[in-house]
């Protein structure tokens, strides 16, 4: 099939690369011509494991192209994927202006019948709106059908997910269009769930909202565990063995961030509001997560009368490991508060420093490695569970810190390996280990 993918953010690019890898001829379109130049040379604009290898492979095998020229791209294609961003408006609704722009570009440039596939996360009813707008704008002899095909890729493992997802959802009110898009997707070898267009749109929001709910649920359990002396990781393991509960998305920590869960939960709340339904459970999930992202800061008064002039190290800026994305990351809330309290803040992240520099205060000292962050610190925060941080020997903190106070927001260490160490270690939903005598002297 000849396919055009509009938008080369992480959804569009991974989708385009995935479709080319299973044998389709794909042209990816973006208005940013600098970005197009780079991608044509096999360079990915985003940090995503394995993506560049597949880009280079499919470009060299002639199945993957990049352009900013819509008329050239839409010539001779049968299928157009929309994968542009739908950012959050100030009131929490989804901003559809990029989608509107694509409708205009398509209507001005297509020369034959097309099937439009919507990958962008859009409110229920949007695909029908897209179809009716297009039909109004294109010549009457051209046919256009619309299929909703929500994406379930996780940043940091998007390439793995596109080839190993649990299901592919396609929704349309047109059987023929559905058949074509099923055939396009069959080579992925993943179960395909066919449904109507509105249900497909809702599946995306409901899935993200459910996963966000699971995370907030286990985090509330974690906060209770801390008070009753239980261990949330043990609790999650025990719960997860019940297949009705499922063992994923039960990792307690400092809440969810990223470009999807916060945006999509707010958007779903708004979708409900528009039909005069109050989604109170989801409101609680959102509100609780906002609090949980600051959870580690609540430990401070117990250990420090003041943070004035204290050296604070922060390990992790990205909202999760294996990505350079810092959108809605806890680091963006925690670091400004630490500066506000008068402390000196040093940070390190294996991938996200460049993005964070644009958003964090100039007072923050960016380091090239974790040792520089840990060295001479009075307190270290672990905010992202990168493998690199999980493998730091606990002795390193003891050796290099002024006083080994560690606040671990991702439970990177087991309590067993910490419990006899001369550290003050606080994590999420587990007992505090404090083997420091009265915030004592260095153990170097
Ligand atoms: C999420 C969904 O998992 C994807 O299926 C979906 O396609 C994507 O949103 C999207 O809508 O585009 P993503 O935001 O990339 O993917 O990352 P996740 O792995 O879901 O993690 C989201 C946040 O939840 C991270 O901050 C992570 O640290 C946190 N999390 C995740 C937990 O705190 N505990 C967990 O058990 C799992």
């Amino acid at each position: 099939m000849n396919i055009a993918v509009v938008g080369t953010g992480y959804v569009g690019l991974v989708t385009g690369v995935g479709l080319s890898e299973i044998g389709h001829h794909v042209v990816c379109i973006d208005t940013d011509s600098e970005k197009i130049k780079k991608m044509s040379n096999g360079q990915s604009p985003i940090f995503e494991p394995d993506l560049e290898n597949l880009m280079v492979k499919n470009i060299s095998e002639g199945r993957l192209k990049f352009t900013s020229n819509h008329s050239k791209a839409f010539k001779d294609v049968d299928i157009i994927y929309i994968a542009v961003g739908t950012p959050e408006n100030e009131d929490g609704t989804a901003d559809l202006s990029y989608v509107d722009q694509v409708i205009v570009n398509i209507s001005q440039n297509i020369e034959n019948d097309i099937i439009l596939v919507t990958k962008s996360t859009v409110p229920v009813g949007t695909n029908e709106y897209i179809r009716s707008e297009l039909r109004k704008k294109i010549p009457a002899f051209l046919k256009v059908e619309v299929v909703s095909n929500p994406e379930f890729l996780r940043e940091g493992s998007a390439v793995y997910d596109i080839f190993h997802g649990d299901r592919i959802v396609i929704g349309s009110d047109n059987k023929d269009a559905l058949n074509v898009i099923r055939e396009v997707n069959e080579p992925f070898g993943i179960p395909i769930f066919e449904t109507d267009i509105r249900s497909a749109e809702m599946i995306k929001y409901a899935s993200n909202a459910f996963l966000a709910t699971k995370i907030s649920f286990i985090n509330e359990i974690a906060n209770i565990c801390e008070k009753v002396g239980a261990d949330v990781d043990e609790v999650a393991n025990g719960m997860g063995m019940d297949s009705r509960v499922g063992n994923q998305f039960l990792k307690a920590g400092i809440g969810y961030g990223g470009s999807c869960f916060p945006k999509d939960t707010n958007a779903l709340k708004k979708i409900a509001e528009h039909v005069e339904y109050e989604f109170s459970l989801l409101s609680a999930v959102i509100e609780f997560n906002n609090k949980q992202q600051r959870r580690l800061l609540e430990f401070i008064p117990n250990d420090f009368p003041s943070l004035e002039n204290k050296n604070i190290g922060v390990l992790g800026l990205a909202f999760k490991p294996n990505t350079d994305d810092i959108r809605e990351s806890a680091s963006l809330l925690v670091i400004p508060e630490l500066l506000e309290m008068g402390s000196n803040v040093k940070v390190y992240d294996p991938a996200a420093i460049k993005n964070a520099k644009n958003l964090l205060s100039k007072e923050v000292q960016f380091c090239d490695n974790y040792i520089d962050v840990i060295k001479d610190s009075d307190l270290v925060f672990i905010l992202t569970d990168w493998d690199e941080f999980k493998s730091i020997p606990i002795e390193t903190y003891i050796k290099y810190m002024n006083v080994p106070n560690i606040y671990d927001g991702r439970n990177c260490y087991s309590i067993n390996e910490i419990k006899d160490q001369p550290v003050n270690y606080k994590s999420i939903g587990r007992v505090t280990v404090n083997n420091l005598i009265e915030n004592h002297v260095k153990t170097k």
Side-chain angles (χ1 to χ4, degrees):
M1 286 283 182
N2 292 323
I3 299 174
V5 179
V6 190
T8 59
Y10 107 96
V11 174
L13 184 54
V14 175
T15 300
V17 171
L19 289 168
S20 66
E21 176 68 11
I22 59 169
H24 302 296
H25 284 92
V26 179
V27 54
C28 294
I29 309 163
D30 203 290
T31 44
D32 183 340
S33 49
E34 267 311 300
K35 204 170 146 192
I36 289 293
K37 219 188 280 171
K38 279 194 180 153
M39 291 187 290
S40 302
N41 291 326
Q43 280 173 276
S44 167
I46 49 166
F47 178 91
E48 192 60 49
D50 298 327
L51 188 57
E52 280 192 350
N53 295 341
L54 282 186
M55 285 170 74
V56 170
K57 173 172 178 255
N58 285 288
I59 291 169
S60 69
E61 289 172 7
R63 286 188 303 273
L64 182 62
K65 292 195 171 72
F66 296 90
T67 182
S68 43
N69 183 330
H70 287 86
S71 65
K72 209 166 106 189
F74 291 150
K75 216 172 154 38
D76 301 329
V77 296
D78 317 294
I79 300 167
I80 300 175
Y81 277 68
I82 302 188
V84 292
T86 51
E88 194 173 345
N89 284 317
E90 256 173 34
D91 66 355
T93 55
D95 171 359
L96 296 178
S97 53
Y98 296 112
V99 172
D100 283 328
Q101 190 53 52
V102 179
I103 295 173
V104 172
N105 287 337
I106 292 175
S107 63
Q108 289 172 349
N109 290 295
I110 53 165
E111 293 176 358
N112 44 289
D113 297 347
I114 50 149
I115 297 174
L116 199 71
V117 181
T118 309
K119 273 272 164 206
S120 304
T121 300
V122 290
V124 180
T126 305
N127 276 282
E128 287 158 1
Y129 160 80
I130 293 173
R131 183 176 55 199
S132 85
E133 283 301 296
L134 271 173
R135 284 184 181 165
K136 270 188 244 160
K137 290 184 168 64
I138 57 173
F141 63 88
L142 290 179
K143 275 207 219 95
V144 57
E145 286 302 338
V146 176
V147 176
S148 166
N149 175 211
E151 57 88 18
F152 303 104
L153 310 171
R154 290 163 303 172
E155 284 186 38
S157 46
V159 172
Y160 176 87
D161 289 348
I162 199 162
F163 299 111
H164 302 90
D166 290 329
R167 78 314 200 183
I168 291 169
V169 172
I170 52 176
S172 181
D173 303 335
N174 182 284
K175 263 269 157 249
D176 295 337
L178 218 44
N179 286 340
V180 173
I181 300 308
R182 186 186 355 93
E183 275 171 34
V184 165
N185 282 284
E186 265 165 359
F188 281 118
I190 293 170
I192 296 173
F193 180 72
E194 294 180 26
T195 184
D196 64 275
I197 206 157
R198 287 187 171 225
S199 301
E201 291 168 326
M202 186 52 120
I203 285 169
K204 167 68 186 191
Y205 281 109
S207 299
N208 272 3
F210 185 74
L211 294 172
T213 303
K214 242 181 139 178
I215 296 170
S216 282
F217 181 85
I218 198 66
N219 284 336
E220 293 233 62
I221 294 290
N223 294 347
I224 302 167
C225 282
E226 274 169 40
K227 290 181 187 288
V228 299
D231 182 319
V232 72
D233 291 345
E234 292 294 307
V235 174
N237 287 340
M239 286 169 67
M241 287 173 76
D242 184 332
S243 60
R244 294 170 303 173
V245 175
N247 60 9
Q248 295 191 52
F249 280 71
L250 283 181
K251 180 92 180 72
I254 45 172
Y256 59 79
S259 65
C260 306
F261 287 173
K263 167 176 82 78
D264 293 349
T265 45
N266 282 330
L268 181 53
K269 214 181 117 183
K270 284 285 161 193
I271 291 169
E273 270 173 38
H274 280 143
V275 289
E276 285 160 24
Y277 186 85
E278 194 195 330
F279 199 159
S280 49
L281 174 62
L282 192 59
S283 300
V285 166
I286 295 167
E287 204 182 306
F288 171 75
N289 189 65
N290 293 338
K291 266 204 301 203
Q292 189 70 1
Q293 287 195 305
R294 292 188 159 83
R295 178 79 184 103
L296 294 180
L297 296 170
E298 292 171 16
F299 296 146
I300 294 171
N302 206 27
D303 290 327
F304 299 89
S306 153
L307 279 194
E308 194 72 39
N309 293 324
K310 293 283 181 200
N311 295 332
I312 310 291
V314 173
L315 296 177
L317 298 164
F319 80 98
K320 61 182 269 188
N322 302 320
T323 177
D324 60 356
D325 197 339
I326 55 164
R327 285 175 286 178
E328 306 290 332
S329 173
S331 63
L332 299 181
L333 299 172
V334 171
I335 293 168
E337 292 203 27
L338 294 172
L339 291 170
E340 190 70 21
M341 289 183 232
S343 59
N344 313 309
V345 179
K346 288 188 287 182
V347 303
Y348 168 68
D349 186 283
I353 287 184
K354 194 164 155 241
N355 287 337
K357 272 188 179 163
N358 300 326
L359 289 176
L360 289 173
S361 155
K362 299 264 172 300
E363 292 167 63
V364 173
Q365 192 188 327
F366 291 90
C367 301
D368 297 332
N369 57 71
Y370 65 75
I371 295 280
D372 286 351
V373 163
I374 292 172
K375 210 161 170 222
D376 300 328
S377 281
D378 299 295
L379 168 63
V380 164
F381 285 77
I382 305 175
L383 301 184
T384 316
D385 42 347
W386 284 95
D387 281 346
E388 186 178 344
F389 302 156
K390 290 199 276 194
S391 62
I392 301 174
I394 203 70
E395 290 74 22
T396 306
Y397 296 94
I398 298 164
K399 181 171 173 203
Y400 288 106
M401 288 180 72
N402 275 342
V403 186
N405 292 298
I406 305 162
Y407 292 176
D408 179 358
R410 299 290 175 188
N411 293 2
C412 291
Y413 294 93
S414 75
I415 294 295
N416 263 344
E417 64 185 311
I418 294 281
K419 70 177 190 316
D420 298 323
Q421 299 288 348
V423 292
N424 170 23
Y425 176 82
K426 292 184 165 68
S427 54
I428 303 293
R430 306 182 305 174
V431 292
T432 289
V433 174
N434 192 351
N435 296 325
L436 301 180
I437 315 134
E438 296 289 312
N439 238 358
H440 83 153
V441 250
K442 209 161 166 172
T443 24
K444 259 188 195 175

